[in-house]
Amino acid sequence: MTGSNKLVKSDYTKTALRAFYLQNGFNYSNYQGLGYANVIYPALKKYYGDDKKALSTALEENVEFYNTNPHFLPFVTSLHLAMLDNDRPEEEIRGFKMALMGPLAGIGDSLSQFCLAPLFSTIAASLASDGLVLGPILFFLAMNIILTGIKLATGLYGYKLGTSFIDKLSEQMTVISRAANIIGVTVISSLTATQVKLTIPYTFAPDKVTNASQKIVTVQGMLDKITPGLLPVLYTLLMFYLIKKRKWSTYQLVVLTVVIGIIGSWLGILA
């Protein structure tokens, strides 16, 4: 096996349990970014040792935007740490980290919120309605035991997969990393297309309207025929430019978005 191998199995287990802290510091600037850095902080501190500058840089890099399910996060952090411990490039690690964010969020949310929670809350509510204090206790214990087990299991699986995966496929890591980057970009692109709502409601008639059946042309309809979702993409690119090149903060972007929204709505050119 290549790399420094400073981390041991117990470090991965501790990191998996620290997934409970993922939502700490949640904000609308980087969502779970601060929590992610907090989860892996002890492992990073052990890995970098006395090199405080490298530790500071690593923490700064991992405070970036992140949003996934806390119960499946240990799979990501274990794979992240295994790659780091085997001296994989930061860009490769980031590619895998971002590529796994969306799929694991969907799986974890479906399991915890739409399967386990309704199941045990129904049982607990039934017991509680009969006056049994066992109801809420059962719900609390069942949810926490199962979700803690999922954290530990996914964390250990990520650790085993990461160490064997890197060993066996070290020569193909560039190609695999490229694929992970493509998946990550696809996830971000889908979020842009589905979450950024920006349209032009302006309509006009090519000629003078003579009857109700005459076709009315919409500007948004014309844009959709050229490129569906063009305005959300352009606005996202503007945000990226302001962050990357102009170093704008999230709060400046929010103020700009609100101002554009108010003015555009008032003038009737945006919706």
Side-chain angles (χ1 to χ4, degrees):
M1 183 179 292
T2 59
S4 58
N5 305 125
K6 297 178 182 178
L7 303 177
V8 296
K9 188 176 180 179
S10 60
D11 295 312
Y12 292 88
T13 302
K14 292 176 184 176
T15 302
L17 291 174
R18 287 178 65 86
F20 280 107
Y21 302 151
L22 180 64
Q23 296 290 78
N24 291 12
F26 181 93
N27 61 80
Y28 289 102
S29 173
N30 54 10
Y31 273 55
Q32 298 168 342
L34 187 62
Y36 187 96
N38 182 35
V39 168
I40 63 174
Y41 171 69
L44 291 180
K45 187 176 181 180
K46 179 178 179 180
Y47 177 80
Y48 289 108
D50 296 329
D51 192 346
K52 294 184 178 180
K53 183 177 180 180
L55 174 61
S56 176
T57 300
L59 289 172
E60 185 178 350
E61 290 171 347
N62 286 286
V63 172
E64 64 179 345
F65 174 88
Y66 207 71
N67 188 33
T68 194
N69 183 272
H71 314 302
F72 282 80
L73 176 73
F75 179 78
V76 181
T77 55
S78 290
L79 193 58
H80 178 156
L81 295 174
M83 294 180 71
L84 178 67
D85 207 24
N86 283 273
D87 299 327
R88 301 310 307 175
E90 176 60 33
E91 190 60 30
E92 285 186 7
I93 298 174
R94 186 174 183 273
F96 277 95
K97 173 184 169 184
M98 291 302 176
L100 292 169
M101 174 177 67
L104 292 181
I107 297 171
D109 290 349
S110 298
L111 178 63
S112 61
Q113 298 176 23
F114 304 115
C115 179
L116 295 177
L119 173 63
F120 290 113
S121 61
T122 301
I123 297 173
S126 177
L127 294 174
S129 64
D130 291 334
L132 296 175
V133 72
L134 181 63
I137 296 175
L138 173 65
F139 178 80
F140 178 81
L141 291 177
M143 288 295 294
N144 281 282
I145 290 173
I146 292 175
L147 294 178
T148 300
I150 290 174
K151 287 183 175 69
L152 291 172
T154 55
L156 291 175
Y157 182 68
Y159 161 67
K160 292 178 181 178
L161 178 65
T163 50
S164 60
F165 175 73
I166 295 167
D167 244 8
K168 295 176 182 178
L169 300 177
S170 57
E171 295 181 359
Q172 288 80 30
M173 281 300 292
T174 301
V175 177
I176 297 171
S177 175
R178 175 64 176 167
N181 280 324
I182 292 173
I183 295 173
V185 171
T186 302
V187 171
I188 298 301
S189 300
S190 66
L191 288 174
T192 300
T194 57
Q195 299 300 317
V196 181
K197 307 296 183 183
L198 189 63
T199 59
I200 299 177
Y202 185 73
T203 63
F204 64 93
D207 300 304
K208 185 178 180 180
V209 177
T210 57
N211 55 70
S213 62
Q214 186 170 351
K215 185 177 181 181
I216 302 298
V217 178
T218 64
V219 174
Q220 187 59 48
M222 294 173 61
L223 289 175
D224 288 340
K225 289 180 180 179
I226 299 172
T227 305
L230 178 61
L231 290 180
V233 170
L234 292 177
Y235 195 73
T236 301
L237 290 175
L238 173 63
M239 296 293 103
F240 176 78
Y241 169 77
L242 293 175
I243 294 172
K244 192 75 174 178
K245 300 296 182 180
R246 298 296 181 180
K247 307 300 180 183
W248 278 35
S249 69
T250 304
Y251 301 106
Q252 289 175 302
L253 298 179
V254 170
V255 171
L256 175 64
T257 301
V258 171
V259 170
I260 291 176
I262 293 174
I263 295 176
S265 179
W266 179 60
L267 295 176
I269 59 175
L270 292 176

